Amino acid sequence: MTFLAACASTGAPSPSVEEQLETTGNYSGLAEHLRGQLASHPNDPVLLLKLAQAYYQSNDLESAQFYLSHLETLGHQSPQQSLLAGKAAADQGEFARALEHYAKAQLQGLSSSELALRQGVAHSQLGQYEAATNAFNTARLRGHDELAVKNNLAMVQMAQGHYHQASQLLEGLYRRHPDNEQVQANLALAWAKGGELEKAHKLLSRIYPDQPVSRVLRQLQALTP
């Protein structure tokens, strides 16, 4: 019995409430839990940033930006704070402002693959395709998930009317990830816009077995990537 008790005492500690909420993706609950700590720590920058991140993850951009603004009022700055401010701006369609925040994060020493990927997305949305491509390639060199990187590179190619190049990128992804809905949709779009209608028709028949494929195909051809 003594031996068993000793083993139990050396086990890993139980996760905190905060860790449990984050692990289960309960970001609304996490925000509520963190907000309860504000009374005793109203100006704690670590707490305020965690709270802003929790609100962002729960799709409450207004609250996330409120706490980010309060951090600025306190004179606190950090790379993760700038990255989060950029993400919130991008989610509101303010891509030029997002790039300003991302550049600030970079100057503050952040060099993550996520930062590079998000810079690429913002540049793409602003029609800055060369800068977008460079940013996506940087994300790739920093080890970011190739599914996300290549998908975005393909969208940059399509936005410029380079449907064959986009198809080449997406066909490789589709072979490795045949059930990925985003890859399926983008490849069907690239084939349809590039005039490879038979390929697009076959793929659309698989994606939308209960819909008239010819109509979906016409809709894709009319889309602007």
Side-chain angles (χ1 to χ4, degrees):
M1 293 298 291
T2 303
F3 176 74
L4 291 174
C7 284
S9 67
T10 59
S14 299
S16 66
V17 173
E18 185 178 325
E19 290 170 334
Q20 289 176 339
L21 290 168
E22 192 165 5
T23 299
T24 58
N26 184 0
Y27 294 107
S28 295
L30 178 59
E32 184 176 349
H33 171 71
L34 293 169
R35 196 175 63 248
Q37 301 175 33
L38 282 177
S40 53
H41 306 284
N43 294 324
D44 181 344
V46 174
L47 175 60
L48 289 167
L49 181 56
K50 283 184 178 180
L51 190 54
Q53 289 171 328
Y55 274 120
Y56 177 80
Q57 293 285 1
S58 62
N59 297 314
D60 186 345
L61 291 181
E62 189 279 331
S63 292
Q65 290 180 315
F66 173 81
Y67 289 105
L68 286 170
S69 177
H70 185 54
L71 280 168
E72 286 190 15
T73 301
L74 294 174
H76 184 270
Q77 296 184 9
S78 73
Q80 290 300 328
Q81 180 181 327
S82 297
L83 174 62
L84 183 59
K87 289 159 66 173
D91 284 0
Q92 292 182 313
E94 299 177 0
F95 297 105
R97 191 158 68 90
L99 283 172
E100 291 176 3
H101 287 299
Y102 296 150
K104 187 176 180 180
Q106 199 165 357
L107 287 172
Q108 291 168 330
L110 188 63
S111 60
S112 67
S113 66
E114 181 191 2
L115 173 61
L117 189 84
R118 289 187 176 276
Q119 286 174 314
V121 171
H123 282 302
S124 298
Q125 292 293 332
L126 293 171
Q128 300 166 354
Y129 301 125
E130 184 177 355
T133 299
N134 290 337
F136 289 137
N137 285 332
T138 297
R140 190 176 186 181
L141 289 170
R142 291 176 183 171
H144 205 86
D145 174 50
E146 291 220 343
L147 179 61
V149 172
K150 288 186 177 182
N151 229 337
N152 279 298
L153 283 169
M155 294 308 292
V156 169
Q157 293 292 341
M158 276 197 276
Q160 298 174 89
H162 303 158
Y163 302 114
H164 178 67
Q165 292 91 325
S167 296
Q168 287 183 314
L169 281 168
L170 291 165
E171 285 167 7
L173 285 181
Y174 181 64
R175 283 192 291 270
R176 293 190 296 279
H177 307 278
D179 296 320
N180 185 282
E181 293 181 359
Q182 190 65 58
V183 173
Q184 291 175 344
N186 288 344
L187 180 55
L189 176 60
W191 277 340
K193 297 292 287 186
E196 299 186 76
L197 302 183
E198 185 177 346
K199 289 182 178 180
H201 194 283
K202 287 181 179 179
L203 180 54
L204 289 169
S205 297
R206 176 186 171 188
I207 301 173
Y208 306 111
D210 300 322
Q211 294 189 34
V213 172
S214 296
R215 186 176 67 186
V216 176
L217 189 55
R218 287 195 299 271
Q219 290 172 340
L220 284 179
Q221 287 179 290
L223 282 176
T224 301

